[in-house]
Amino acid sequence: MPDSNFAERSEEQMSGAKVIAQALKTQDVEYIFGIVGIPVTEIAIAAQQLGIKYIGMRNEQAACYAASAIGYLTGRPGVCLVVSGPGLIHALGGMANANMNCWPLLVIGGSSERNQETMGAFQEFPQVEACRLYTKFSARPSSIEAIPFVIEKVQYLRAVRTSIYGRPGACYVDIPADFVNLQVNVNSIKYMECCMSPPISMAETSAVRMAASVIRNAKQPLLIIGKGAAYAHAEENIKKLVEQYKLPFLPTPMGKGVVPDNHPNCVGAARSRALQFADVIVLFGARLNWILHFGLPPRYQPDVKFIQVDICAEELGNNLKPAVTLLGDISAVSKQLLEELDKTSWEYPPESKWWKTLREKMKSNEAASKELASKKSLPMNYYTVFYHVQEQLPRDCFVVSEGANTMDIGRTVLQNYLPRHRLDAGTFGTMGVGLGFAIAAAMVAKDRSPEQRVICVEGDSAFGFSGMEVETICRYNLPIILLVVNNNGIYQGFDMNTWKETLKFRDPTAVVPPMCLLPNSHYEQVMTAFGGKGYFVETPEELQKSLRQSLADTTKPSLINIMIEPQATRKAQDFHWLTRSNM
């Protein structure tokens, strides 16, 4: 007689939502961020049933930022789950940001039913086509029967592989609404093995020899450590290069911590001088884009020799012709350089004129910053705030930062000691990433070490982009301390008296400068509204006390609203980040 149990199993059905969730689980997806609704709610529920963490956000853009940060922090793509039409469109900013930052990301978007295409269906939109501009890969399964094969074997697995292989980036998979609840026979499903991490590639031996020769002959060498080095986990080899050969290094904003910021060879305090007068520069996972002034004069010497180390062949030689290009995994290539330099007893002389020049400039700039920080007048300035914050920062905390002066000045004062522990506006210069990044970092922190904290430093304008994510932070009780550095505006604002005088008998749309925001806004009340701790501070003493209390209380998130001088700015700059800037 036939086995009745086998017959039952062979006829067992499984929904498309469960197939998608299992495909995610098979590929070691740990986190999904999103906002549920028609037609993706069932996917989120199915994922939770399999043990995948689902974090419900308040805006798809913030959800996409969070998922992309997971990709950077873990090396596996975070998933952003969004509804059709407007929901997907809101996520495009996160996709573009992930692609520009070279971070793995997978967006799964619901879409209108197949039999309603071109009929004006609910939230109908050409989603696959739209996402192609912002992703490495964008596709849609053709049938419910093909979900196990198309999503996983052909498309999903391809999406995961595409997101992490080569230069990492964003990928999109489109799910028609009718796929979610339609059934497929369980026996027809064949899950593929988890996509492995990318193979380690090494640079050509001859190119490594040439690079080592150029470094040995340098009179004024400089290593620039980018976030690509952090992503590649190249910290051990690069630190050996710095220490063994007495080389000065400069981290890019998210390269901070690959070698600790307090290392004696870090020349971040003399950034402009180091860039302007170096004769040989080794780029470890750093691109010659606007952040590094394109590698062009007058920021650099006209005859400076660049050695580019990058995983992406298309990046090599961008904007200029380098002296040497080293294509490969940054950790592996830096080890190759170590081995080649080890063949001689060479080291860069620590008492050279170059080191003397850099140290003098560092000392001068640090003194100028300390002088600004020591000012007793109120309201406080940026430097006063950041020096007091730096005194209490836990060594292992994640630092998330966004804003204009808030981010740029904070980068020079707030130190990172560990790799992949700083997140900011990045290559795309995106405002609004802060709270999404902080939530992602907090999820990783909770899983790695329950005591680890996330310090999210926001300008008041930057906070406004995603302020409602405070409710998300409180709902999941995440270990985040938000610092809102409040100058009442974008770049600069008005104090209350000037604000009132400006508005007297006049239409605010005609007289309020475009940079101004409402003075003395109590952003801390957003946090208290959802059950967290809020502090409104105006003095260094209040700042120190509130930060001390926030760090001591591990049971609740907190927000410290820090009032500073509305016209406060940074110290004089040799070169602005942007070629043309009056701000």
Side-chain angles (χ1 to χ4, degrees), residues 62-84:
C64 207
Y65 294 143
S68 67
I70 287 290
Y72 172 63
L73 295 172
T74 69
R76 301 292 297 185
V79 171
C80 178
L81 181 66
V82 298
V83 300
S84 51

Side-chain angles (χ1 to χ4, degrees), residues 333-384:
V333 174
S334 56
K335 186 176 181 181
Q336 286 179 278
L337 272 174
L338 270 171
E339 292 169 350
E340 186 62 34
L341 290 169
D342 274 346
K343 293 177 180 178
T344 66
S345 58
W346 176 85
E347 69 173 34
Y348 186 71
E351 302 305 320
S352 65
K353 184 179 179 181
W354 177 230
W355 261 122
K356 183 180 179 182
T357 298
L358 292 173
R359 289 188 178 117
E360 286 176 353
K361 187 62 175 175
M362 289 164 64
K363 187 176 180 180
S364 170
N365 284 347
E366 286 167 353
S369 296
K370 286 179 180 177
E371 183 181 355
L372 286 167
S374 65
K375 289 188 174 180
K376 304 296 184 183
S377 58
L378 296 176
M380 294 180 284
N381 62 48
Y382 287 102
Y383 293 89
T384 303

Side-chain angles (χ1 to χ4, degrees), residues 65-261:
Y65 294 143
S68 67
I70 287 290
Y72 172 63
L73 295 172
T74 69
R76 301 292 297 185
V79 171
C80 178
L81 181 66
V82 298
V83 300
S84 51
L88 184 278
I89 291 170
H90 291 167
L92 292 178
M95 292 187 217
N97 190 68
N99 243 24
M100 291 293 186
N101 273 337
C102 309
W103 290 355
L105 167 70
L106 176 62
V107 176
I108 296 179
S111 60
S112 52
E113 296 186 15
R114 292 167 299 162
N115 62 2
Q116 296 176 354
E117 284 186 9
T118 74
M119 295 175 64
F122 175 66
Q123 296 184 334
E124 184 177 1
F125 187 72
Q127 297 179 184
V128 175
E129 293 86 345
C131 290
R132 286 201 176 106
L133 285 173
Y134 307 96
T135 60
K136 292 178 71 178
F137 174 79
S138 179
R140 178 183 191 178
S142 58
S143 68
I144 183 65
E145 292 78 14
I147 281 182
F149 304 99
V150 175
I151 290 183
E152 188 172 354
K153 184 176 180 182
V154 179
Q155 287 189 0
Y156 179 68
L157 185 57
R158 182 176 171 185
V160 170
R161 182 181 287 118
T162 302
S163 75
I164 62 176
Y165 276 47
R167 172 180 280 178
C171 292
Y172 175 68
V173 174
D174 193 73
I175 304 294
D178 49 313
F179 280 15
V180 175
N181 289 313
L182 287 180
Q183 303 291 305
V184 63
N185 191 300
V186 170
N187 289 338
S188 69
I189 302 169
K190 296 178 182 178
Y191 294 105
M192 304 297 292
E193 292 182 1
C194 179
C195 178
M196 303 301 293
S197 297
I200 301 301
S201 57
M202 301 173 70
E204 292 182 4
T205 304
S206 59
V208 175
R209 281 199 297 266
M210 187 184 302
S213 175
V214 173
I215 293 170
R216 288 193 199 101
N217 290 316
K219 298 289 191 293
Q220 298 180 169
L222 177 67
L223 308 183
I224 296 181
I225 303 172
K227 67 175 177 289
Y231 183 80
H233 290 246
E235 52 266 21
E236 183 179 342
N237 293 327
I238 291 178
K239 188 178 181 184
K240 281 183 181 178
L241 274 169
V242 166
E243 293 180 344
Q244 201 162 314
Y245 302 109
K246 310 297 188 292
L247 294 166
F249 75 92
L250 174 70
T252 65
M254 274 190 275
K256 285 162 61 69
V258 171
V259 182
D261 283 344

